[in-house]
Amino acid sequence: MKLRKGVFISFEGIEGTGKTTQAKLLSERLSDEGCVTVLTHEPGGTVIGSRIRELLLLPEHREMSYMTELLLYNAARVQHLAERILPAVNEGTIVITDRFTDSTIAYQGYARGIDLSLINSIDRIATGGIRPDLTILFDLDVEEGLRRNRGVNKIDRLELESIEFHKRVRAGYLKIAESEPERFRIVDASRPPEEIGVKVWEIVSTAMQNLKLKIQN
Ligand code: TMP
């Protein structure tokens, strides 16, 4: 049985999938339907998290060790959960976060090569194993994603990694999704944004009905 009062949704994917735009659209649509919604993102979502984000993404921080990176993403997450996500979900709000723990498993685990059991141990400290009720993975060809991001001049430290790195991120995401089919829905991010918006709404409204049924059980 689901113990939280609200609904916790995460959007995941490689760079340039358009998930941030889709998260905004979903949040607006839910508000139009009369739902109380919080739209947030990682790393960030709090003042402290935004500071940590700067440290993580500045291109000149080239010397950052993989372990520093892993711990900083988790530190931002601890703050995000405590300050933003949990209070809202416990009050019955729908929280949509642009990235959560699956980003760490895909980027620091599958792409950087940090041992997945170590990542899980740190995650248990950071989140207590909390996972979203629903995760939408926006899947896209890596070259296309990076090309789209360069088009809007968005270059951060992680985006400067090789194509091979980003291919490992994508493959990692697909593995995580395959291992948790109940939680994940995969959306083809190469489709036009309007079509993706319709798909996302279909997924979220169906999931919300199922979650409500579970709460009543
Ligand atoms: P974005 O929010 O603009 O996508 O930027 C966040 C960057 O940080 C993106 O390259 C993915 C990366 N990232 C990780 O490597 N691990 C994480 O745990 C999270 C949340 C993001």
Side-chain angles (χ1 to χ4, degrees):
M1 183 161 97
K2 191 172 159 288
L3 297 174
R4 299 191 280 258
K5 275 169 79 185
V7 182
F8 180 26
I9 301 171
S10 64
F11 279 25
E12 293 283 356
I14 59 159
E15 321 294 323
T17 59
K19 65 182 167 45
T20 306
T21 308
Q22 291 297 334
K24 271 190 207 129
L25 284 175
L26 173 63
S27 162
E28 283 162 16
R29 174 86 192 255
L30 285 166
S31 301
D32 290 348
E33 301 281 332
C35 301
V36 183
T37 309
V38 165
L39 174 60
T40 183
H41 64 277
E42 286 200 3
T46 64
V47 172
I48 292 169
S50 302
R51 291 272 170 90
I52 297 175
R53 181 183 177 92
E54 274 176 41
L55 288 175
L56 278 162
L57 299 184
L58 272 178
E60 54 265 40
H61 287 175
R62 247 176 254 110
E63 71 277 28
M64 186 178 290
S65 83
Y66 292 177
M67 201 48 65
T68 303
E69 185 180 282
L70 172 65
L71 292 170
L72 284 175
Y73 278 116
N74 275 280
R77 186 161 304 129
V78 172
Q79 194 65 31
H80 194 207
L81 263 179
E83 207 184 310
R84 199 95 200 269
I85 300 177
L86 289 180
V89 176
N90 289 336
E91 275 176 13
T93 300
I94 301 171
V95 174
I96 304 162
T97 181
D98 184 350
R99 299 194 181 281
F100 194 65
T101 303
D102 299 308
S103 284
T104 307
I105 302 173
Y107 281 80
Q108 281 64 52
Y110 284 101
R112 292 281 192 230
I114 300 178
D115 186 45
L116 292 180
S117 60
L118 175 63
I119 290 191
N120 277 335
S121 306
I122 294 173
D123 174 66
R124 271 196 297 278
I125 298 168
T127 73
I130 288 175
R131 288 289 181 275
D133 300 302
L134 168 70
T135 297
I136 303 184
L137 172 59
F138 293 79
D139 185 49
L140 183 66
D141 173 69
V142 167
E143 274 97 350
E144 169 65 11
L146 292 176
R147 194 183 56 71
R148 286 186 191 176
N149 260 12
R150 300 223 159 101
V152 291
N153 251 350
K154 184 178 173 294
I155 301 288
D156 62 39
R157 196 174 55 85
L158 277 285
E159 280 156 6
L160 291 171
E161 288 292 336
S162 66
I163 292 278
E164 289 316 312
F165 174 88
H166 292 285
K167 284 189 175 163
R168 290 197 294 277
V169 175
R170 183 187 186 193
Y173 269 131
L174 291 170
K175 270 199 191 151
I176 308 168
E178 201 186 330
S179 71
E180 283 186 76
E182 280 240 327
R183 172 163 70 90
F184 272 87
R185 296 290 174 273
I186 302 177
V187 166
D188 178 357
S190 70
R191 306 302 302 162
E194 308 73 47
E195 198 181 301
I196 296 175
V198 171
K199 184 81 199 152
V200 167
W201 181 248
E202 207 179 279
I203 291 170
V204 170
S205 41
T206 308
M208 298 240 304
Q209 275 166 12
N210 292 340
L211 288 167
K212 273 192 198 131
L213 287 179
K214 273 197 203 160
I215 292 167
Q216 283 160 7
N217 282 341

